[in-house]
């Protein structure tokens, strides 16, 4: 039995080695490249723009708040590596009107050239128990977090196919890999990005266009600080099981993976485990990645079950405490 397992692994490695030239894209060169970042006025989006600018890219920032955009533009320009670099700001809501999004991206390409890399980072979050969340909030989150990535991607994909090159990044979340208490409105919108990316990657791979889905953990950003104010107790306790990352660290990882054309981008040990556990039928771009998924899937599933058991215990304990408190209030 052991020999059979070893033979299978060896055969699998040889197979991956044979097909690796077909699945390993050439790294994208950022010096002189045109990078578009939606949701680029703050948080992870801003840090991604800074990271790309540090490597010589031309940047188009897209967000709704014009004042924040102009402030971010000044901050980014401090990191220029040559006098030719430009930071272009466009104020638009990428989730409302596709024609408007298409027009502003045409304008950006007329000024800075074709888009080499699009980073879809525009997003928002609402936490709360399912029955406490307003119904229109589900619609708004789907519009911003999902359609807000569909529209810009749709606007640049034709040009990328014509040029036979490009990168598109979808910034999802670890809540887009694992559904958690309090995220019934948010998680589905981030899960949807994974489905979009897998289907679109199959369409555009022959054109040398590669997609990356990033799954950042809790990250120290203005959006995360605002979200934390309304988190249910259960969500807060579950979140305490993992550490909060810095936006700069997350941005460096995302940019590196996007340049390499990696489909999955994760941060930290928890992110690594979740990426393997949820790999499913997602594309691989290296022999090492595929082998790690095959070898580690079983043991990580065991670890994951312990996490799930811990989360269920937290939810059950909070429910019992709440019921006990309500019962005490009634008797007083």
């Amino acid at each position: 039995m052991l020999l059979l397992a070893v033979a299978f692994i060896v055969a699998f490695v040889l197979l991956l080695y044979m097909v690796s030239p077909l699945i390993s894209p050439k790294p994208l060169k950022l010096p002189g490249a045109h990078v578009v970042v939606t949701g680029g006025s703050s948080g992870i989006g801003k840090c991604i723009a800074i990271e790309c600018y540090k490597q010589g890219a031309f940047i188009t920032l897209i967000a709704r708040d014009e004042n924040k955009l102009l402030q971010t533009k000044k901050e980014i320009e401090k990191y220029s590596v040559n006098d030719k670099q430009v930071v272009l700001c466009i104020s638009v809501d990428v989730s409302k009107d596709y024609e408007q999004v298409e027009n502003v991206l045409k304008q950006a390409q007329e000024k800075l050239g074709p888009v080499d890399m699009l980073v879809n980072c525009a997003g928002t979050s609402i936490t709360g128990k399912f029955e406490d969340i307003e119904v229109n909030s589900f619609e708004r989150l789907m519009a911003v977090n999902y359609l807000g990535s569909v529209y810009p991607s749709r606007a640049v994909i034709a040009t990328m196919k014509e040029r036979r090159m490009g990168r598109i990044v979808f910034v999802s979340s670890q809540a887009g890999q694992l559904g958690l208490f309090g995220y019934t409105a948010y998680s589905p919108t981030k899960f949807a990005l994974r489905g979009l990316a897998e289907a679109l990657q199959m369409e555009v791979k022959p054109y040398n266009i590669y997609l990356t889905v990033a799954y950042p953990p809790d990250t120290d950003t203005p959006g995360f600080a605002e979200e934390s104010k309304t988190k249910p107790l259960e969500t807060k306790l579950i979140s305490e099981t993992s550490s909060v990352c810095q936006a700069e660290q997350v941005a460096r990882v995302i940019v590196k993976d996007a340049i390499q054309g990696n489909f999955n981008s994760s941060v930290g040990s928890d992110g690594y485990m979740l990426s393997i556990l949820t790999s499913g039928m997602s594309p691989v771009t290296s022999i090492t990645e595929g082998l790690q998924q095959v070898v580690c899937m079983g043991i990580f599933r065991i670890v994951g079950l312990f996490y799930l058991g811990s989360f269920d215990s937290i939810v059950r304990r909070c429910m019992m405490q709440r019921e006990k408190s309500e019962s005490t209030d009634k008797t007083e």
Side-chain angles (χ1 to χ4, degrees):
M1 193 66 180
L2 179 61
L3 289 176
L4 184 61
V6 172
F8 173 78
I9 294 173
V10 171
F12 179 75
V13 172
L14 289 174
L15 178 62
L16 285 178
Y17 179 78
M18 290 168 60
V19 302
S20 61
L22 303 176
I23 62 175
S24 298
K26 292 182 180 179
L28 176 71
K29 296 179 180 179
L30 279 184
H34 181 191
V35 177
V36 175
V37 184
T38 71
S41 62
S42 65
I44 295 174
K46 181 178 78 171
C47 291
I48 288 174
I50 290 173
E51 183 65 25
C52 292
Y53 200 68
K54 285 179 179 180
Q55 298 187 41
F58 290 69
I59 305 295
T60 294
L61 289 178
I62 298 178
R64 292 175 297 178
D65 193 318
E66 189 170 358
N67 291 329
K68 282 186 178 180
L69 279 171
L70 294 175
Q71 292 173 5
T72 302
K73 172 182 167 72
K74 293 178 181 179
E75 185 175 346
I76 293 174
E77 287 175 338
K78 297 176 183 178
Y79 298 94
S80 64
V81 296
N82 61 65
D83 297 333
K84 296 180 180 179
Q85 282 180 277
V86 175
V87 178
L88 177 66
C89 293
I90 300 176
S91 176
V92 67
D93 188 334
V94 293
S95 67
K96 285 190 175 180
D97 186 341
Y98 171 69
E99 290 186 1
Q100 189 178 19
V101 173
E102 186 180 35
N103 287 335
V104 298
L105 280 169
K106 282 182 179 178
Q107 295 171 17
Q109 293 185 89
E110 288 171 0
K111 293 179 180 179
L112 300 183
V115 176
D116 296 290
M117 183 163 79
L118 167 66
V119 182
N120 293 293
C121 201
T124 187
S125 175
I126 293 175
T127 57
K129 288 190 288 186
F130 182 69
E131 69 272 22
D132 294 337
I133 299 174
E134 296 292 335
V135 171
N136 60 7
S137 295
F138 290 87
E139 298 170 355
R140 183 165 68 87
L141 259 65
M142 186 58 75
V144 175
N145 295 348
Y146 179 68
L147 294 180
S149 293
V150 171
Y151 292 166
S153 302
R154 178 69 171 73
V156 303
I157 201 71
T159 305
M160 286 185 174
K161 290 173 94 170
E162 289 173 4
R163 299 175 66 222
R164 295 293 196 274
M165 65 169 292
R167 297 286 192 274
I168 297 177
V169 180
F170 296 107
V171 179
S172 179
S173 164
Q174 284 189 353
Q177 296 173 293
L178 170 67
L180 293 172
F181 190 106
Y183 287 109
T184 51
Y186 178 72
S187 281
T189 67
K190 293 300 186 178
F191 268 87
L193 293 175
R194 159 75 176 269
L196 170 64
E198 287 192 2
L200 183 57
Q201 179 65 92
M202 195 171 290
E203 287 188 24
V204 301
K205 189 175 180 180
Y207 296 90
N208 194 36
I209 301 169
Y210 288 88
L211 277 60
T212 297
V213 185
Y215 300 104
D218 287 343
T219 305
D220 187 11
T221 64
F224 177 71
E226 192 65 27
E227 171 196 316
S228 298
K229 295 177 181 178
T230 59
K231 280 183 178 179
L233 176 60
E234 292 89 342
T235 309
K236 290 179 180 179
L237 293 175
I238 290 172
S239 297
E240 288 176 358
T241 61
S242 60
S243 58
V244 177
C245 290
Q246 297 301 308
E248 294 82 2
Q249 176 193 2
V250 172
R252 282 193 296 270
V253 173
I254 293 174
V255 171
K256 180 182 177 182
D257 285 329
I259 290 172
Q260 297 297 328
N262 295 333
F263 186 79
N264 289 304
S265 178
S266 61
V267 179
S269 57
D270 286 347
Y272 175 73
M273 182 181 72
L274 277 173
S275 288
I276 288 181
L277 277 174
T278 60
S279 56
M281 290 292 289
S282 63
V284 295
T285 49
S286 71
I287 296 173
T288 303
E289 182 184 8
L291 186 59
Q292 287 173 346
Q293 290 171 359
V294 171
V295 173
C296 297
M297 180 72 78
I299 190 169
F300 281 174
R301 177 58 175 163
I302 295 173
V303 175
L305 289 174
F306 278 103
Y307 271 97
L308 289 173
S310 173
F311 298 158
D312 287 341
S313 176
I314 289 172
V315 173
R316 190 178 300 108
R317 187 168 66 249
C318 288
M319 182 191 72
M320 293 174 65
Q321 289 176 350
R322 188 176 294 110
E323 289 180 343
K324 183 178 180 180
S325 177
E326 291 174 354
S327 176
T328 301
D329 291 341
K330 289 179 180 179
T331 56
E332 290 180 353

